[in-house]
Amino acid sequence: MITIHQKAVRGHTHGGWLDSYHTFSFGSFQDPNRMGFGNLRVLNEDTIIPGSGFASHPHADMDILSYVTRGQLRHEDDHGNISLINAGEAQLMSAGSGVTHSERNASDTDTAHLFQIWLIPERTGGTPTYAQITVPDTGDLLLAGPPGSDALFTLGSQTTVQLVRTTEGDTTPLTDLNTARFVHFIDGLAHAEGERLTAGDGLQLPKGEETSLDWNSDGAAFIFTMPT
């Protein structure tokens, strides 16, 4: 069954330095019907106030993809990686057997906005890795994918993460019955399954289901495709 994840019922953490919306259960937001979908475990939309951020904390056995759309983050981890991630850039941290890191707003005056995505790898353990890229600002692109794909980042699973950018009147087909797909709307207005979908909404398609997105404006979305 195709499921609409309405933005109005996302989890919401708003306190002090962080304003965060959670498509799936995260932190104090726990919904047994929203425990992830396929390899996609976390999809958060975060706004961080100037000069603050996530203090040092551990991760293991997770591919963590961050895409900054406004401002600048400072990343530092216990494997020696220190970097600034600017608006229009993305990073992939494959936590492997374990990594401790912090991510903070690098500006003392401007807010930072990012999408934080956690994807479950097919194998546990392994050496943690870190990569960072500038995301092209036009056209569709394969942001992340399995080994051997043409994706900008390599994941530890067969999942793909596509960033699509649309213009008014476009149709995005979601017709591969052999995969599960999740769409997160970043911007714009589209219709599918008789529903109006805008930024923050999600569309979940299990294997065997199909639909299409009819765009009523320019827009953008993440499309996650998973083999199961």
Side-chain angles (χ1 to χ4, degrees):
M1 182 177 68
I2 296 174
T3 303
I4 305 293
H5 288 251
Q6 295 180 335
K7 60 178 171 289
V9 294
R10 288 188 294 178
H12 188 201
T13 299
H14 188 196
W17 60 274
L18 177 66
D19 188 8
S20 180
Y21 289 91
H22 318 301
T23 296
F24 301 109
S25 293
F26 186 86
S28 61
F29 170 62
Q30 295 295 315
D31 182 339
N33 296 316
R34 290 188 172 214
M35 297 306 295
F37 181 62
N39 292 80
L40 178 57
R41 176 58 189 87
V42 168
L43 203 173
N44 290 348
E45 184 175 358
D46 297 337
T47 300
I48 303 172
I49 68 169
S52 192
F54 299 97
S56 187
H57 60 281
H59 291 284
D61 299 323
M62 195 69 68
D63 288 340
I64 300 174
L65 177 64
S66 300
Y67 177 39
V68 179
T69 60
R70 185 175 68 247
Q72 186 183 63
L73 291 183
R74 184 181 190 275
H75 167 96
E76 184 172 355
D77 64 46
D78 61 351
H79 288 260
N81 298 300
I82 300 174
S83 64
L84 293 176
I85 310 161
N86 299 300
E89 295 182 339
Q91 69 161 14
L92 177 67
M93 185 179 71
S94 296
S97 59
V99 62
T100 298
H101 81 130
S102 62
E103 280 186 319
R104 302 182 64 85
N105 186 340
S107 172
D108 292 327
T109 57
D110 300 320
T111 60
H113 179 269
L114 70 147
F115 292 95
Q116 184 182 163
I117 298 160
W118 296 13
L119 297 157
I120 302 170
E122 293 173 356
R123 294 179 178 83
T124 59
T127 302
T129 62
Y130 179 88
Q132 182 175 330
I133 55 99
T134 298
V135 178
D137 59 6
T138 58
D140 297 347
L141 60 96
L142 188 58
L143 188 58
S149 68
D150 293 327
L152 300 179
F153 291 120
T154 300
L155 298 172
S157 68
Q158 294 301 305
T159 301
T160 63
V161 184
Q162 186 179 13
L163 175 59
V164 296
R165 299 180 174 109
T166 65
T167 57
E168 182 179 355
D170 284 351
T171 296
T172 303
L174 301 167
T175 55
D176 184 357
L177 299 177
N178 296 314
T179 60
R181 286 132 295 153
F182 190 91
V183 182
H184 178 83
F185 293 86
I186 300 170
D187 195 16
L189 168 64
H191 281 81
E193 301 298 302
E195 296 285 344
R196 182 179 185 271
L197 299 161
T198 59
D201 289 328
L203 182 68
Q204 179 174 304
L205 290 86
K207 190 174 181 179
E209 297 281 1
E210 63 179 341
T211 191
S212 61
L213 309 177
D214 296 318
W215 291 89
N216 304 101
S217 72
D218 296 353
F222 293 120
I223 301 179
F224 302 87
T225 302
M226 295 159 278
T228 57

